[in-house]
Amino acid sequence: MSHTILRRSALAATTLALGACTHGPVTTPLPPAAGYVAMGSSFAAGPGVTTPADAPATRCGRSRDNYAHQLARKRGLTLTDVTCSGATTAHLLGPWNELAPQLDAVTADTALVTVTIGGNDVNYVGNLMNASSGGTVQPATQDAWKRLAGSFDRIAAEVRRRAPNARLVFVDYMSLLPAGLPCPATPVSAEQAATLRAMAQRLEAETAAAAARAGADLIRASVLSRKHDPCAAEPWANGFSVAKGAAPYHPNLAGMTGIAEALDARLPR
């Protein structure tokens, strides 16, 4: 990515972090019991966070305390949670085995849509897991990043088409590595950590740029969690070694709560 594109992405992220968007700020409060659709991957679903949201539990690993469920309880929203562990942008746009496209949950009366997606498209956490197991890091190709940007735009366009009055909020991926040297919770080499941080920064920038292009809001979980990585005293994400049932390198309850609180603060009352 060129320095010019990086500067533009950073500017877009800063603007959206302050609540601005190209369509103008949304100031109308959500009505009581408004329809809320949560879409995304495991970083939205919350596998291993408290108890499953689905009975019986499904392969998607949705938690009753992921950020969408917490926000819905706070605001009295009618939640349709179609997040699913392992999902890529393709699974929002199209079917995935027995699962319908996540976008099919968005209807004309949907008032709020949140999206956390893209990490699996570029194998971000997969690379982190592989490095922590003694393997190598294989950065995503430029073609993969280009496809991701296009998919972001298609997702936003579909939300706008299906629910023209909905508030669309992108929530990016939280920080998983410390700013300094790795710690026992993140058993990767310094060189691998640098490569993985670069991937995380690119994902952060691409998400921010997509939100800017779509006139959507952005919750920068990456920034909110910067001092809450797995090596921190109060981590918002698990490290590589976790207790049974928890998901390595995924948000924990504190992380999900932090995102829910940020969303609650952003939405007008």
Side-chain angles (χ1 to χ4, degrees):
M1 178 181 287
S2 71
H3 294 301
T4 299
I5 294 174
L6 282 171
R7 284 196 296 271
R8 288 175 180 169
S9 297
L11 177 59
T14 301
T15 301
L16 285 161
L18 295 174
C21 65
T22 56
H23 288 180
V26 179
T27 58
T28 305
L30 295 171
Y36 167 26
V37 174
M39 301 191 294
S41 67
S42 54
F43 272 59
V49 177
T50 66
T51 56
D54 303 308
T58 72
R59 68 181 176 91
C60 288
R62 290 182 284 260
S63 167
R64 69 176 304 277
D65 288 304
N66 62 25
Y67 70 72
H69 279 263
Q70 291 195 48
L71 178 64
R73 290 196 295 268
K74 282 176 178 286
R75 289 297 191 96
L77 305 175
T78 302
L79 173 64
T80 302
D81 184 1
V82 290
T83 60
C84 194
S85 298
T88 68
T89 53
H91 304 129
L92 273 66
L93 294 160
W96 185 15
N97 298 329
E98 82 282 7
L99 301 176
Q102 292 187 22
L103 275 158
D104 281 2
V106 179
T107 58
D109 59 352
T110 299
L112 174 66
V113 177
T114 57
V115 179
T116 298
I117 200 67
N120 292 325
D121 291 66
V122 295
N123 199 30
Y124 170 48
V125 175
N127 268 302
L128 181 52
M129 289 287 292
N130 194 47
S132 298
S133 303
T136 60
V137 176
Q138 298 292 330
T141 64
Q142 292 304 309
D143 283 346
W145 287 111
K146 184 177 180 179
R147 287 193 298 271
L148 176 60
S151 293
F152 277 148
D153 291 346
R154 289 175 61 198
I155 289 165
E158 276 299 301
V159 170
R160 300 298 191 202
R161 184 181 71 82
R162 295 166 188 245
N165 298 317
R167 184 169 186 139
L168 173 61
V169 185
F170 281 89
V171 180
D172 72 3
Y173 284 66
M174 63 176 51
S175 296
L176 297 176
L177 288 168
L181 292 174
C183 71
T186 58
V188 300
S189 70
E191 181 180 1
Q192 288 173 325
T195 301
L196 289 159
R197 280 193 210 97
M199 289 186 68
Q201 290 164 4
R202 177 77 180 266
L203 183 58
E204 179 182 344
E206 293 290 352
T207 305
R213 290 192 300 270
D217 274 323
L218 174 68
I219 295 296
R220 299 184 67 190
S222 55
V223 174
L224 294 172
S225 61
R226 204 75 92 202
K227 296 183 179 180
H228 296 284
D229 61 79
C231 298
E234 297 179 357
W236 282 14
N238 303 317
F240 181 57
S241 298
V242 294
K244 184 178 180 180
Y249 292 129
H250 277 72
N252 59 22
L253 178 59
M256 287 297 186
T257 300
I259 294 172
E261 290 175 348
L263 279 163
D264 184 43
R266 175 67 57 84
L267 298 174
R269 294 183 177 277

